[in-house]
């Protein structure tokens, strides 16, 4: 009976994990799109760049965000913080750039984002 329970739980974990991975991938993409948008809005000369230059700069900022969020994922997912990460990234992605800026200035964030930040600070690998 115990083996049946364990097999059932393993089956549930296998069903849930790909969904969580897809949700996390989607959340990271939305978050990085918003991060790139907000970062570029703050650059005084961004609007004066050609559309090709704007596209190249956007892609660069987006790719950097993707790389950084992948590092977060490597640390936070094994700590069972996938749900917090998905919630936090989606929450930030849904806000306006001015709201994000104000939240950073006032140092206010959701419990999920605080859990992510604290776990990252406690468990990140030192730069090599």
């Amino acid at each position: 009976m115990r083996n049946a329970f364990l097999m059932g739980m393993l089956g549930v974990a296998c069903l849930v994990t790909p969904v969580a991975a897809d949700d996390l991938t989607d959340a990271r993409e939305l978050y990085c799109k918003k991060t790139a948008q907000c970062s570029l809005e703050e650059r005084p000369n961004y609007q004066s760049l050609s559309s090709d230059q704007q596209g190249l700069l956007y892609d660069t900022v987006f790719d950097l965000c993707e790389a950084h969020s992948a590092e977060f994922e490597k640390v936070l997912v094994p700590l069972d913080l996938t749900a917090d990460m998905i919630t936090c990234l989606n929450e930030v992605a849904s806000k306006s750039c001015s709201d994000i800026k104000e939240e950073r200035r006032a140092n206010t964030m959701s419990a999920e984002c605080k859990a992510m930040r604290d776990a990252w600070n406690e468990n990140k690998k030192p730069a090599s």
Side-chain angles (χ1 to χ4, degrees):
M1 186 65 171
R2 191 174 84 166
N3 287 342
F5 174 75
L6 292 174
M7 294 288 281
M9 290 307 293
L10 181 59
V12 169
C14 289
L15 290 173
V16 172
T17 303
V19 172
D22 288 346
D23 291 345
L24 183 53
T25 300
D26 293 345
R28 281 180 47 206
E29 182 178 353
L30 291 172
Y31 172 82
C32 288
K33 285 179 179 179
K34 179 60 78 167
T35 297
Q37 173 196 346
C38 295
S39 173
L40 297 175
E41 280 182 10
E42 294 176 357
R43 293 178 185 248
N45 62 344
Y46 178 71
Q47 294 302 327
S48 64
L49 298 174
S50 71
S51 61
D52 286 345
Q53 291 170 321
Q54 286 180 355
L56 182 60
L57 190 55
Y58 177 90
D59 290 345
T60 301
V61 173
F62 181 87
D63 290 346
L64 283 170
C65 177
E66 279 280 311
H68 290 143
S69 65
E71 290 302 312
F72 268 72
E73 186 175 327
K74 286 179 191 174
V75 170
L76 300 178
V77 169
L79 298 173
D80 199 28
L81 290 170
T82 304
D84 285 343
M85 192 170 180
I86 292 169
T87 300
C88 178
L89 295 177
N90 281 327
E91 175 188 302
V92 173
S94 70
K95 294 180 178 181
S96 69
C97 294
S98 59
D99 287 346
I100 294 168
K101 188 175 181 178
E102 176 58 27
E103 188 173 85
R104 286 183 183 154
R105 187 195 64 71
N107 197 25
T108 57
M109 59 180 72
S110 69
E112 292 84 2
C113 291
K114 286 179 184 176
M116 262 183 63
R117 181 199 58 202
D118 294 346
W120 171 255
N121 288 334
E122 291 173 15
N123 297 283
K124 66 184 173 187
K125 308 286 185 270
S128 345

